[in-house]
Amino acid sequence: MKILVTGGAGFIGSNFIRLLLRAHPEDQIINFDLLTYAGQLTNLTNLPNQANYSFVKGDIADSQAVGQVVKNNRIEAIVNFAAESHVDRSILNAAPFIHSNIDGVATLLAIAKKYQLTKFVQVSTDEVYGSTPLHTKFDEQAPLSPSSPYAASKAAADLLTLSYFKTFGLKACVTRSANNYGPYQFPEKLVPLMVTAALNGRKLPVYGTGKNSRDWLNVLDNCRAIDLVLRSGHPGQIYNIAAHNYRTNLQIVDRIKKQLEAAQPQIAFVKDRPGNDVRYVIDDSKIRHELGWRPEFDFETGMGDTIDWYVIHPEWWEPLLTAVKNR
Ligand SMILES: NC(=O)c1ccc[n+]([C@@H]2O[C@H](COP(=O)([O-])OP(=O)(O)OC[C@H]3O[C@@H](n4cnc5c(N)ncnc54)[C@H](O)[C@@H]3O)[C@@H](O)[C@H]2O)c1
């Protein structure tokens, strides 16, 4: 299959490309990415099967550029990871989120329709459902109730994607996953933020009381699920992807503190983010029963290895922190 992976230079996209090249050596992968502050080609060094991979720099909202890459490479499927992805940034300025997460997806869908692609996978998030009340879990039929401009932009993109299935018969699917952890995550997100702060002798900034709870999914488990949806997902369907590893932010930070105790990290509680959802709990029975997926990683091992990865790769994250500071 000839697959256009958009946003493949980011955290999940780069892990996905590595997985595809390993698991499907017959596929051709074209990575189309704008290389925003969150996208790094250093996420894609030492790829297996280099001959089946190429990179094109471009904006998913640029219809001409997307059309050209799809036509010239006879692309058969698109998996869209490209997005502005940091909730805090969406609170400061929603405009780039509207551009990439809504206009960008509208552009990709129009091109997918024009060239009659055989599959379109929109990578989305459990945040579109909003905060989950106690003793509840949200399945794919739950109403959308996003709290942040980020989550609202993702919900809009999900609806656009599903409309292209209903109106035009585009074979599109949406995946909604829990919080991912793993290597190559930009050091503004919880796990790498805390690890890099601890290693730099800075305090670990925890929002509010730290009691907000998330479900922590290994990025490779998410990538395997997305790959399965790409190949076997039923058109027009949404698939929740969960791990059932519920931890508060404080528990995650304590886990990191424990592993990095030699650095004697200290927590600093800071003012909570506005609209911060209390908890996300999604029901992933559908992908388990219909497609036979289940997560493989044990949380303790996966999180331990992830923390170690940041410890032994300062050459990856130090330049990113410097770039953010100088911006
Ligand atoms: N990280 C998570 O825990 C998580 C959980 C659920 C869903 N998601 C979703 O998964 C996707 C990937 O998330 P991530 O954490 O890898 O994000 P990321 O911020 O690490 O990467 C996003 C990538 O998209 C690229 N990009 C942004 N705007 C673009 C544009 N207009 N055109 C082309 N490329 C553009 C960036 O350069 C970057 O490489 C996002 O859609 C996000 O909403 C993430």
Side-chain angles (χ1 to χ4, degrees), residues 6-13 32-40 58-61 80-86 99-101 104 122-127 150 154 175-181 184-186 188-189 222:
T6 48
F11 163 47
I12 308 177
F32 184 89
D33 194 300
L34 188 56
L35 299 182
T36 68
Y37 79 95
Q40 331 293 332
D59 184 344
I60 57 165
N80 178 38
F81 295 90
E84 287 293 332
S85 67
H86 193 44
H99 174 82
S100 293
N101 302 7
Q122 168 62 10
V123 176
S124 187
T125 166
D126 57 2
E127 298 193 29
Y150 161 71
K154 295 297 291 184
T175 66
R176 292 180 179 152
S177 87
N179 264 38
N180 287 215
Y181 67 88
Y184 302 107
Q185 188 169 31
F186 196 82
E188 64 189 356
K189 303 282 171 58
N222 189 23

Side-chain angles (χ1 to χ4, degrees), residues 2-67:
K2 290 187 174 167
I3 305 167
L4 187 69
V5 177
T6 48
F11 163 47
I12 308 177
S14 61
N15 279 286
F16 182 73
I17 288 174
R18 205 169 263 110
L19 174 111
L20 281 194
L21 290 171
R22 240 190 346 255
H24 306 284
E26 68 289 359
D27 286 347
Q28 286 285 335
I29 315 298
I30 288 124
N31 175 9
F32 184 89
D33 194 300
L34 188 56
L35 299 182
T36 68
Y37 79 95
Q40 331 293 332
L41 290 180
T42 52
N43 295 359
L44 293 152
T45 45
N46 304 320
L47 287 179
N49 275 314
Q50 277 277 2
N52 293 352
Y53 168 80
S54 57
F55 174 74
V56 176
K57 184 174 176 187
D59 184 344
I60 57 165
D62 178 345
S63 173
Q64 218 184 350
V66 178

